[in-house]
Amino acid sequence: MSAPLHDPEAPREPVRLKLAALRAEPLPATFKGLPAIAEGVFLQDLDRLKLSLLDGDLPLPAAVLKESALTHNARWMRAFTGRAGVSLAPHGKTTMAPQLFQRQFDEGAWGMTAATAVHVRTYRRFGVPRVILANQLVGKADLELVFRELAADPSFDFFVLVDSAAGLDLLRTAAIAHGLTRPVQVLLEVGTPGGRTGVRSVEEGAALAALIQAASPAIALRGVEAFEGVYSGADTARVELGALTMIETVAELTRRGCADGWFAPGEVLLSAGGSAFFDMAAKTLAAVEAGGTGHALRVVLRSGCYLSHDSLQYERMQDRMRQRAGALWGEGPGLRNAIEVWAYVQSVPEPGRAICTAGRRDLSYDACLPQPLWWYRQGTHDAPQAAPGSWTVSKLNDQHAFVDAVAAADAGEGALPLRVGDLIAFGVGHPCTTFDKWPLLYTVDDVYRVTGGVRTFF
Amino acid sequence: MSAPLHDPEAPREPVRLKLAALRAEPLPATFKGLPAIAEGVFLQDLDRLKLSLLDGDLPLPAAVLKESALTHNARWMRAFTGRAGVSLAPHGKTTMAPQLFQRQFDEGAWGMTAATAVHVRTYRRFGVPRVILANQLVGKADLELVFRELAADPSFDFFVLVDSAAGLDLLRTAAIAHGLTRPVQVLLEVGTPGGRTGVRSVEEGAALAALIQAASPAIALRGVEAFEGVYSGADTARVELGALTMIETVAELTRRGCADGWFAPGEVLLSAGGSAFFDMAAKTLAAVEAGGTGHALRVVLRSGCYLSHDSLQYERMQDRMRQRAGALWGEGPGLRNAIEVWAYVQSVPEPGRAICTAGRRDLSYDACLPQPLWWYRQGTHDAPQAAPGSWTVSKLNDQHAFVDAVAAADAGEGALPLRVGDLIAFGVGHPCTTFDKWPLLYTVDDVYRVTGGVRTFF
C-alpha cells in the first residue's frame, strides 16, 4: 500500500462531471416552481420554453440563481485563490448541485468537500474525482458507501477527518476488515474548547498524530484541518480571535508534523476556511513552510457559500473580510448575491401587512429571517422595484411570509403599496438552508428570463 | 353551470390512490439514509431487504415512522371524528406523502387539504378526488395548474379560499378567461386582527360574501373557513380565546349565510381545526344548525400533524386538548409520536458534549430544538435506552447536533455516557418541518426493522 502522490506541477486534466443523464432527465410534475408547460421537459431544454418570471410564467414560490452573479462569483474566487496561492475544494453541501460543481471545477477547483458518506456517494455518481469528507466517518453502512468507492476506482482521491482515538480505531478496524488495498488518507481535525468536533489543543493534536502514525499502513496521515466557522456572533474581536487561533493551530501542527515526520509521503494538506474567514485561512496557512523536510504543502480552502453568496449574513461578513484581506481581496467589492426566492402577495389583510406565498419550506430562517429585495407589478412596472428597507419579514409560517412595513402605523397605507397578485423577491441569510428546500432552482438572466435549471440532491 | 351536490348519506366509494408507479420506482442512490444494498430497489421491495436500523444497516441520519404509532393515530382520529360527527380533510402539506394520504383515506378521510397549487397538482397526479386548497389562489401559472385539473375531470371536487375583493376578482376573471364550465367552489376565509390571511370580522365577512354571490355563476360560495392555528404561544388563555373566537366567527358567518341565502346549492362546509385545536373546532362547529334552510352542513377538520404526531410541540398541546375535550376525547391518552430521526455520535470532544450526525438539514428547529429520545450501543444494549431528560440539544448546525448533558460539569463524565459510534434518536417538535427534509422515510416495527419506505414530494 502506498499513498497516491500529487505533483502540484503536473498539468491538470479538466474535470468533466457526468451530467448528461441529469440534463436529459424529464422534469417531474411534482417539483414546486415548475409550470405546466415544463412538466416532463428535459432539464437541458428548459431554456427553450422562454419562461419569464416577471411575466408570471412560473408558479410561485420559485427559487432563482442569477447567471451574471454566479459567473462573477466563480471567477472572483478563482482570482482570489490565485492571488493567495491556495487551492479550493468548495463545500458541496451548500448546493448539492452537480451542475454547480462543474462550474466550480471549470474555475479551477482542486476538489470538492462533502459532509456525509451519502454526499460522497452522490459526488461519485457524478464523477467528482477528489473529495474531502470534512467529518469523522462512523457507522457500518456509511463506511461501506465510502470504501466501495475507494475499492472501485484507484484514482479516486479521498480524504477524511480523524479527531479522536475512538474515531481512528473505528476507521482503521473497518479499513482492514474491508481489505482495502490502499491507505485511507486522513486529516487530523483541529477544534476548539467549547466548539464542535476536533482536538482542543496542539498537545491533543500531537498525541492523536502519534496514534494515526501507528495505524499505518491502513491509515495515512496526509494533513491537518479545521473548520473555524464554528465561531460566529456579534462579538467580532472574540470571533476573529477564536477563528484565527484555530487556523494557527493547523499551521502549528503542520510545522510540527513536518519537522517530526508525522505525515505520509506526498503533499501535506492544510485545510480551513469556511465562507466567513477564508481570507484569514489563506493568509495564515499560505505562510507555513515545510522547513526543508521535502514535503510539498497545499493549502485547501473549503468555502461552500461563495458561489451563490447571499444578501444578508455572508454579505455582512464580506465587509469585514474585505477590510481584513487588504490587497489580497483585489479590486471591487467582491462577491454578489445570486440567490432569490420569488413569491406572490396572496393577501393584504390590514394596512402595512402583506402575506406572501413563501415560507419556512422555501427560505432560510436559521441565521436571520429573509428580507424583501424587490417587488413587481405586472402591467405597471418595467422592472423590479427595490423594496424599501422599512419592509421586513416579521414572521415565517411553513408556507407564508409576513411582510410588514415597519413605519406603517405612522405612514398610513402608503407605507406598503403591495396588492394581491404583486410579485415579491426575498433575499436570504445563509444559502445552504435555502438550497436544500428546492429540488430545482432556475438560472435567470438579469431580467429574470429562465436560462436553465439547476437540480439539487438533498 | 351548477355546483356538484354532495349527498352525505350516499354510500362512499373507497378511495384508491394511484400508487403503483410510485411503489415500482427504483430508489435513487442519491437519497440520504439509503444503504448501498437498497440502491435501485423498488420502493415496494424495501421490506425484503430485512434492514435493521439498530444493527447499523442504514447510513445515518435516517428518518423513521413507527408503524404501530401510525396505525394507532390513523384509527384514533377516525374514532374521534366519528364521535364528534365531523369530517376530516387532513392537511397533506405536513407529509406530502401519497402513501400516507392513502392511509388517511383508508381511515375515512373525506378529502385532503393543500397549501399551494403545486400541491394540488401533486395530489391529482396520485388521484386524490377531493381537495381544499386552504389559501387564496393567485398568479397566472398557479391558476393554470388548478384550472387544468378542474377542466380535465368533472368529478374532481375542489374548494379554494377567498379572503378579499381583490382575490375574488383575480379568481373570477381567470375562471371566465379559462372558460371553465362549472363554478369554482370557494370558502370564505376568516382571519383575525393582527393575524395572517382572512377577513377580520363578521362584518367584513358578510360584505365579502355579498361580492362572492355577485360573482356567480363563475364562483360558488360553498362555506366558511378559518385556520385558528395562527394563535400560538405560552399564554394559554389568550391563545385559546383567540382560536375560539375565530372558530365562532366561522359558525356565525355560516348561520348568517344560511339565513340570508349566501350559499350555492349543496352542502355548506364549515372548516377549521389545525392540529392544536381540532377539539374546539369540532365541538363548536358541529353544534351549528342550518335553521331549516334546507342546507346540509358538513364540518371539516384539517389537522395535518395527527398522523405522525411528535414528541414535543403537539405532544404538549395534546395534554391541553384532552383536558378541553372531555368525553369527546375518548379513552386513553390519545395520539402517539411516530416520527424519529436517528444519527450517530460522531465525536465526544469534551466531557458532557456529544456531536451527532444530524442537523438542520434533517430535523425541525422552528418550534423548538429536537430532543434526544433514545440511545443504543451495538453489542451492549438489547434495546434502545431512554435518553435522560438532562440531555438536551443545545445547538444545531446544518449537519450536526450538539447533545449536551445539562449537569455534566457537576456530574462528571458519567453524565453523558455516549461514545463515538453510538446511535441516538431525536424527537422533534413540529413534524411538517422534519418531513420536508426527507425524500424517503422508513416505516419500522417496534424494534426498528424496516417494514417499508414512504416517499415525500416537496
Coordinates of all heavy atoms in Angstrom, one line a residue, chain B residues 186-231:
Chain B
V186 N -65.8 28.1 -3.6 CA -65.0 28.9 -2.7 C -65.5 28.8 -1.3 O -66.7 28.7 -1.1 CB -64.7 30.3 -3.1 CG1 -64.2 30.4 -4.6 CG2 -66.0 31.2 -3.0
L187 N -64.6 28.9 -0.4 CA -64.9 29.1 1.1 C -64.4 30.5 1.5 O -63.3 30.9 1.1 CB -64.2 28.0 1.9 CG -64.4 26.6 1.5 CD1 -63.6 25.6 2.4 CD2 -65.8 26.2 1.5
L188 N -65.2 31.1 2.2 CA -64.9 32.5 2.7 C -63.9 32.3 3.9 O -64.2 31.6 4.8 CB -66.2 33.2 3.1 CG -66.2 34.7 3.4 CD1 -67.6 35.2 3.4 CD2 -65.5 35.1 4.6
E189 N -62.8 33.0 3.8 CA -61.8 32.8 4.8 C -61.9 33.8 5.9 O -61.8 35.0 5.7 CB -60.4 32.8 4.2 CG -59.3 32.5 5.2 CD -57.9 32.6 4.7 OE1 -57.7 33.1 3.6 OE2 -57.0 32.1 5.4
V190 N -61.9 33.2 7.1 CA -62.0 34.1 8.3 C -60.6 34.2 8.9 O -59.9 33.2 9.1 CB -62.9 33.4 9.4 CG1 -62.8 34.1 10.7 CG2 -64.4 33.5 8.9
G191 N -60.2 35.4 9.2 CA -58.9 35.6 9.9 C -59.1 36.2 11.2 O -60.1 36.1 11.9
T192 N -58.1 37.0 11.7 CA -58.2 37.6 13.0 C -57.3 38.9 13.0 O -56.3 38.9 12.3 CB -57.8 36.7 14.1 OG1 -58.0 37.3 15.4 CG2 -56.3 36.3 14.0
P193 N -57.7 39.9 13.7 CA -56.8 41.1 13.6 C -55.4 40.8 14.1 O -55.2 40.1 15.0 CB -57.5 42.1 14.7 CG -59.0 41.6 14.7 CD -58.9 40.1 14.5
G194 N -54.5 41.3 13.3 CA -53.0 41.1 13.6 C -52.6 39.7 13.1 O -51.4 39.4 13.3
G195 N -53.5 38.9 12.5 CA -53.2 37.6 12.1 C -52.7 37.4 10.7 O -52.1 38.4 10.2
R196 N -53.0 36.3 10.1 CA -52.5 36.0 8.8 C -53.6 36.4 7.8 O -54.0 37.6 7.8 CB -52.1 34.5 8.7 CG -51.2 34.2 7.6 CD -50.6 32.8 7.8 NE -51.6 31.7 7.4 CZ -51.3 30.4 7.6 NH1 -50.2 30.0 8.1 NH2 -52.2 29.5 7.2
T197 N -54.0 35.5 6.9 CA -55.0 35.9 5.9 C -56.4 35.8 6.5 O -56.6 35.3 7.6 CB -54.8 34.9 4.7 OG1 -54.8 33.6 5.2 CG2 -53.5 35.1 4.0
G198 N -57.4 36.3 5.7 CA -58.8 36.1 6.1 C -59.4 37.4 6.6 O -58.7 38.3 7.1
V199 N -60.7 37.5 6.5 CA -61.4 38.7 6.9 C -61.3 38.8 8.4 O -61.1 37.9 9.2 CB -62.9 38.7 6.5 CG1 -63.0 38.6 5.0 CG2 -63.6 37.5 7.2
R200 N -61.3 40.1 8.9 CA -61.0 40.4 10.3 C -62.3 40.4 11.2 O -62.1 40.5 12.4 CB -60.3 41.7 10.4 CG -58.8 41.7 10.4 CD -58.1 40.8 9.5 NE -56.7 40.7 9.7 CZ -55.9 39.8 9.3 NH1 -56.3 38.8 8.6 NH2 -54.6 39.8 9.5
S201 N -63.5 40.3 10.6 CA -64.7 40.4 11.4 C -65.8 39.8 10.7 O -65.8 39.5 9.5 CB -65.0 41.9 11.7 OG -65.3 42.5 10.5
V202 N -66.9 39.6 11.4 CA -68.2 39.1 10.8 C -68.6 40.1 9.8 O -69.1 39.7 8.7 CB -69.2 38.9 11.9 CG1 -70.6 38.6 11.3 CG2 -68.8 37.7 12.8
E203 N -68.5 41.4 10.1 CA -69.0 42.4 9.1 C -68.2 42.3 7.8 O -68.8 42.4 6.7 CB -68.9 43.8 9.7 CG -69.8 44.0 10.9 CD -69.6 43.1 12.1 OE1 -68.4 42.8 12.4 OE2 -70.6 42.6 12.7
E204 N -66.9 42.3 7.9 CA -66.1 42.1 6.7 C -66.4 40.9 5.9 O -66.5 40.9 4.7 CB -64.6 42.0 7.1 CG -63.8 43.4 7.2 CD -62.3 43.1 7.3 OE1 -61.8 42.3 6.6 OE2 -61.7 43.8 8.1
G205 N -66.7 39.8 6.7 CA -67.1 38.6 6.0 C -68.4 38.7 5.3 O -68.5 38.2 4.2
A206 N -69.4 39.3 5.9 CA -70.7 39.5 5.3 C -70.5 40.3 4.0 O -71.2 40.0 3.0 CB -71.6 40.1 6.3
A207 N -69.7 41.3 4.1 CA -69.5 42.2 2.9 C -68.9 41.4 1.8 O -69.3 41.5 0.6 CB -68.7 43.4 3.3
L208 N -67.9 40.6 2.1 CA -67.2 39.8 1.1 C -68.2 38.7 0.5 O -68.2 38.5 -0.7 CB -65.9 39.1 1.7 CG -65.1 38.3 0.7 CD1 -64.7 39.1 -0.5 CD2 -63.9 37.7 1.4
A209 N -69.0 38.2 1.4 CA -70.0 37.2 0.9 C -70.9 37.7 -0.1 O -71.2 37.1 -1.1 CB -70.8 36.6 2.1
A210 N -71.3 39.0 0.0 CA -72.1 39.6 -1.0 C -71.4 39.7 -2.3 O -72.0 39.5 -3.4 CB -72.5 41.0 -0.5
L211 N -70.1 40.1 -2.3 CA -69.3 40.1 -3.5 C -69.2 38.8 -4.2 O -69.3 38.6 -5.4 CB -67.9 40.7 -3.2 CG -67.9 42.1 -2.7 CD1 -66.4 42.5 -2.4 CD2 -68.5 43.1 -3.7
I212 N -69.0 37.7 -3.3 CA -68.9 36.4 -3.9 C -70.2 36.0 -4.6 O -70.2 35.4 -5.7 CB -68.5 35.4 -2.8 CG1 -67.1 35.8 -2.2 CG2 -68.4 34.0 -3.4 CD1 -66.7 34.9 -1.0
Q213 N -71.3 36.3 -3.9 CA -72.6 35.9 -4.5 C -72.7 36.6 -5.9 O -73.2 36.0 -6.8 CB -73.7 36.4 -3.6 CG -74.0 35.5 -2.5 CD -75.3 36.0 -1.8 OE1 -75.2 36.9 -1.0 NE2 -76.4 35.5 -2.1
A214 N -72.2 37.8 -5.9 CA -72.4 38.6 -7.2 C -71.4 38.1 -8.3 O -71.6 38.4 -9.4 CB -72.1 40.1 -6.9
A215 N -70.5 37.2 -7.8 CA -69.5 36.7 -8.8 C -70.1 35.4 -9.4 O -69.4 34.7 -10.2 CB -68.2 36.4 -8.2
S216 N -71.3 35.0 -9.0 CA -71.9 33.8 -9.6 C -72.2 34.1 -11.1 O -72.5 35.3 -11.4 CB -73.2 33.5 -8.8 OG -73.9 32.5 -9.4
P217 N -72.2 33.2 -12.0 CA -72.0 31.8 -11.8 C -70.6 31.3 -11.9 O -70.4 30.1 -11.8 CB -72.9 31.2 -13.0 CG -72.7 32.2 -14.1 CD -72.6 33.5 -13.4
A218 N -69.6 32.2 -12.1 CA -68.2 31.7 -12.2 C -67.8 31.2 -10.9 O -67.0 30.2 -10.8 CB -67.3 32.9 -12.7
I219 N -68.3 31.8 -9.8 CA -67.9 31.4 -8.5 C -69.1 31.0 -7.7 O -70.2 31.5 -7.8 CB -67.2 32.7 -7.8 CG1 -66.2 33.3 -8.7 CG2 -66.7 32.3 -6.4 CD1 -64.9 32.5 -8.8
A220 N -68.9 29.9 -6.8 CA -70.0 29.5 -6.0 C -69.5 29.5 -4.5 O -68.5 28.8 -4.2 CB -70.4 28.0 -6.4
L221 N -70.2 30.1 -3.7 CA -69.8 30.2 -2.3 C -70.3 28.9 -1.6 O -71.5 28.7 -1.5 CB -70.4 31.4 -1.6 CG -70.1 31.6 -0.1 CD1 -68.6 31.6 0.1 CD2 -70.7 32.8 0.5
R222 N -69.4 28.1 -1.1 CA -69.8 26.8 -0.6 C -69.6 26.6 0.9 O -69.8 25.6 1.5 CB -69.0 25.7 -1.3 CG -69.4 25.6 -2.8 CD -70.8 25.2 -3.0 NE -71.3 24.2 -2.2 CZ -71.0 22.9 -2.4 NH1 -70.4 22.5 -3.5 NH2 -71.5 21.9 -1.5
G223 N -69.0 27.7 1.6 CA -68.8 27.5 3.0 C -67.9 28.6 3.6 O -67.6 29.6 2.9
V224 N -67.5 28.3 4.8 CA -66.7 29.3 5.6 C -65.6 28.6 6.2 O -65.7 27.4 6.7 CB -67.6 30.0 6.7 CG1 -66.8 31.1 7.3 CG2 -68.9 30.6 6.0
E225 N -64.4 29.2 6.3 CA -63.2 28.5 6.7 C -62.4 29.4 7.6 O -62.4 30.7 7.5 CB -62.4 28.1 5.5 CG -61.1 27.3 5.8 CD -59.9 28.2 6.1 OE1 -59.9 29.4 6.0 OE2 -58.9 27.5 6.4
A226 N -61.6 28.8 8.6 CA -60.6 29.6 9.3 C -59.4 28.6 9.7 O -59.6 27.4 9.8 CB -61.2 30.1 10.6
F227 N -58.3 29.2 9.8 CA -57.2 28.5 10.4 C -56.8 29.1 11.7 O -56.1 30.1 11.8 CB -55.9 28.5 9.5 CG -54.7 27.8 10.1 CD1 -54.8 26.5 10.6 CD2 -53.6 28.5 10.3 CE1 -53.7 25.9 11.2 CE2 -52.5 27.9 10.9 CZ -52.5 26.6 11.4
E228 N -57.4 28.6 12.8 CA -57.2 29.1 14.1 C -55.8 28.9 14.7 O -55.5 29.5 15.7 CB -58.3 28.6 15.0 CG -58.1 27.2 15.6 CD -58.1 26.1 14.5 OE1 -58.8 26.3 13.5 OE2 -57.5 25.0 14.7
G229 N -55.0 28.1 14.0 CA -53.7 27.8 14.5 C -52.7 29.0 14.4 O -51.6 28.9 14.8
V230 N -53.2 30.1 13.8 CA -52.4 31.3 13.8 C -52.1 31.7 15.3 O -51.2 32.5 15.5 CB -53.0 32.5 13.0 CG1 -53.0 32.1 11.5 CG2 -54.3 32.9 13.5
Y231 N -53.0 31.3 16.2 CA -52.8 31.6 17.6 C -51.8 30.5 18.2 O -52.1 29.3 18.1 CB -54.1 31.6 18.3 CG -54.8 32.9 18.2 CD1 -55.8 33.1 17.3 CD2 -54.4 34.0 19.0 CE1 -56.4 34.3 17.1 CE2 -55.0 35.3 18.8 CZ -56.0 35.4 17.9 OH -56.7 36.6 17.7

